[in-house]
Amino acid sequence: MTNIVLVTATSLTLVKAPALPLAPVEYQQKYADDLNNVLRLYFNQIDTLIGQLTLGSVYAVADLPDAANAGVGARAFVTDSSVTTFGTTVASGGSSKVPVYSDGTNWKVG
């Protein structure tokens, strides 16, 4: 079984716009190198943030990790739910594909 990626409001890394170096009047290779380094670091941070927003793996309901261990706010996606109403406890035996979240006790549709 694959691990679920936990995404909570407190776990996201905020990304701050970079302070770009000022361009010299005459072309200098050092300026181009500095600019490339700053932009590379910035886009790596953006990449990390986007990775934190990924929901993770797709599960069958029976294969979901324990909701208590996953923690409140953990999210996943299931492919065999028999319920689709927001906020109801997810149950297997159907063919509905729905996102789910942990309330710390159960996995709920949503």
Side-chain angles (χ1 to χ4, degrees):
M1 177 167 55
T2 44
N3 292 333
I4 189 168
V5 176
L6 301 178
V7 178
T8 64
T10 58
S11 69
L12 293 177
T13 305
L14 299 177
V15 177
K16 183 179 169 187
L20 298 176
L22 296 175
V25 175
E26 294 180 16
Y27 176 81
Q28 294 176 0
Q29 183 62 44
K30 182 181 179 334
Y31 167 75
D33 293 342
D34 288 348
L35 179 62
N36 284 337
N37 287 335
V38 168
L39 292 176
R40 184 178 306 112
L41 291 172
Y42 178 64
F43 286 113
N44 283 341
Q45 289 176 346
I46 296 290
D47 235 12
T48 300
L49 177 64
I50 290 170
Q52 291 173 340
L53 297 175
T54 304
L55 290 180
S57 298
V58 177
Y59 294 91
V61 174
D63 295 332
L64 281 167
D66 182 64
N69 289 338
V72 175
R75 298 193 55 81
F77 198 85
V78 297
T79 58
D80 64 341
S81 178
S82 60
V83 294
T84 58
T85 306
F86 184 85
T88 58
T89 299
V90 71
S92 63
S95 61
S96 297
K97 297 166 181 57
V98 296
V100 294
Y101 66 92
S102 169
D103 68 358
T105 304
N106 296 302
W107 287 98
K108 304 281 187 168
V109 175

